[in-house]
Amino acid sequence: MDIQWYPGHMTKAKRMMQEDIKLVDLVIELTDARAPLSGRNPDIDEIGKNKFRVILLNKADMADENMNHRWISYFQKAGFHAAAINARSGAGMKQIESIILEACREKQERDRKRGIRNRPLRAMVAGIPNVGKSTFINSFAGKACTKTGNKPGVTRGKQWIRLNKNVELLDTPGILWPKFDDPMTGQKLAALGSVRDEVLQAEELSVWVMDYVRENYPGFLSSRYPIEETGQTELLLANIAISRGCLQKGGTPDYSKAAALVLDDFRSGRIGRITLESPPDHTG
């Protein structure tokens, strides 16, 4: 299954980020903890190549906890500041400001030597669609969030969110890149809901998800659904349809409804804490 999705507005959003990057000190990139590498847009690396960098593994509560640790270690070894968070619940959010300050310590020391004090760090928040950027900003900002409005040198109409005297955030639209070179990247992002469902083959995608779960997390499917995990995956989908009442007229399994159910259960973490890929320096 070759999944590609790059609507026109993403080109405009990328151009906007290329303009805005000169206004910020660092890039905070959110990626989905369940596919940390596939969920990183290579364009963001190019846009932010001369900036301080922080990578946050969001939705970490739905990912394999052991894999979270391995991925954080991987990104740290690659030169990034990294942490696992759950922006929705607030888990891991208390450490973010200290990570930002640590990432930009070199710049702050330069500023102090020049006599520049009390200037907030400006951070661009970036990531692919549906990775949770808005939830992160709202969670990070809390009720103290204030929009600072237009600033000198800032494009008119751009809104900066001042968190406190130390940090200001600039939100950006979620963007993908024009072509997934590896078809597996598209499949993983589709499974996570970062590609619009209208362009997907849901049944085929759900079968792929179940195959992956059976192989890497045995017992997870049978814990969620009253089924045996052996046999053809298409048969498993039929059994899930029957057990959950996803039926067409005449009582035949409605594969489309069952596929949507499986994908929704996977995306919401109801099947279990699952990570779809291992760090490159590990096997598995």
Side-chain angles (χ1 to χ4, degrees):
M1 178 168 41
D2 185 22
I3 296 168
Q4 303 291 338
W5 185 55
Y6 191 71
H9 73 270
M10 290 188 183
T11 302
K12 182 180 178 183
K14 180 182 171 183
R15 279 199 303 266
M16 187 174 74
M17 288 174 67
Q18 289 168 328
E19 284 294 311
D20 292 343
I21 194 68
K22 61 180 178 286
L23 306 172
V24 305
D25 304 304
L26 79 155
V27 176
I28 300 173
E29 181 183 357
L30 269 69
T31 187
D32 194 307
R34 295 166 293 179
L37 204 57
S38 293
R40 295 194 63 227
N41 184 340
D43 288 344
I44 294 173
D45 270 344
E46 178 60 28
I47 292 168
K49 62 186 175 184
N50 296 318
K51 301 295 177 178
F52 300 109
R53 302 293 302 279
V54 171
I55 291 181
L56 300 179
L57 277 64
N58 194 25
K59 307 183 184 181
D61 60 311
M62 292 192 281
D64 183 326
E65 191 168 10
N66 177 51
M67 283 293 187
N68 287 344
H69 293 304
R70 287 166 63 178
W71 275 109
I72 289 169
S73 175
Y74 167 80
F75 286 124
Q76 287 174 340
K77 286 175 184 174
F80 297 94
H81 288 77
I85 65 167
N86 175 5
R88 190 169 294 281
S89 72
M93 293 297 295
K94 288 182 180 177
Q95 63 183 319
I96 302 303
E97 186 171 343
S98 62
I99 290 173
I100 291 171
L101 295 176
E102 175 61 28
C104 296
R105 186 169 56 178
E106 181 186 319
K107 178 195 180 299
Q108 290 184 300
E109 287 174 359
R110 280 200 312 265
D111 283 353
R112 273 195 290 271
K113 286 176 183 176
R114 293 171 182 167
I116 301 170
R117 297 180 182 277
N118 302 320
R119 181 185 160 195
L121 295 166
R122 288 179 172 179
M124 174 184 284
V125 181
I128 65 172
N130 201 32
V131 77
K133 293 192 307 302
S134 296
T135 305
F136 164 75
I137 289 174
N138 290 337
S139 177
F140 194 10
K143 291 181 181 177
C145 168
T146 57
K147 292 182 178 179
T148 60
N150 297 327
K151 287 176 164 287
V154 179
T155 305
R156 187 175 177 182
K158 218 176 289 310
Q159 295 292 336
W160 291 81
I161 302 163
R162 184 156 191 170
L163 303 183
N164 51 43
K165 64 187 176 84
N166 295 321
V167 182
E168 292 181 357
L169 297 181
L170 176 64
D171 193 10
T172 61
I175 60 168
L176 293 170
W177 53 110
K179 183 171 174 56
F180 304 136
D181 293 329
D182 181 356
M184 290 302 297
T185 297
Q187 297 230 137
K188 292 170 189 175
L189 296 186
L192 296 175
S194 294
V195 174
R196 231 171 69 185
D197 283 346
E198 286 81 351
V199 303
L200 304 179
Q201 297 168 319
E203 290 173 40
E204 193 176 338
L205 184 60
S206 69
V207 165
W208 177 80
V209 167
M210 288 192 291
D211 275 337
Y212 182 89
V213 173
R214 278 205 297 179
E215 182 177 345
N216 295 278
Y217 297 90
F220 277 32
L221 289 176
S222 56
S223 293
R224 177 64 186 167
Y225 310 107
I227 59 169
E228 295 291 333
E229 291 192 7
T230 55
Q232 290 186 328
T233 316
E234 289 81 357
L235 186 58
L236 291 188
L237 192 59
N239 290 337
I240 290 171
I242 293 166
S243 69
R244 290 301 173 90
C246 300
L247 305 172
Q248 297 174 322
K249 286 183 180 178
T252 56
D254 188 327
Y255 289 97
S256 180
K257 277 189 179 178
L261 175 74
V262 169
L263 292 176
D264 187 56
D265 282 349
F266 170 73
R267 290 167 180 170
S268 62
R270 287 190 287 266
I271 292 176
R273 296 184 65 166
I274 295 162
T275 299
L276 294 176
E277 56 193 15
S278 304
D281 54 343
H282 292 279
T283 56

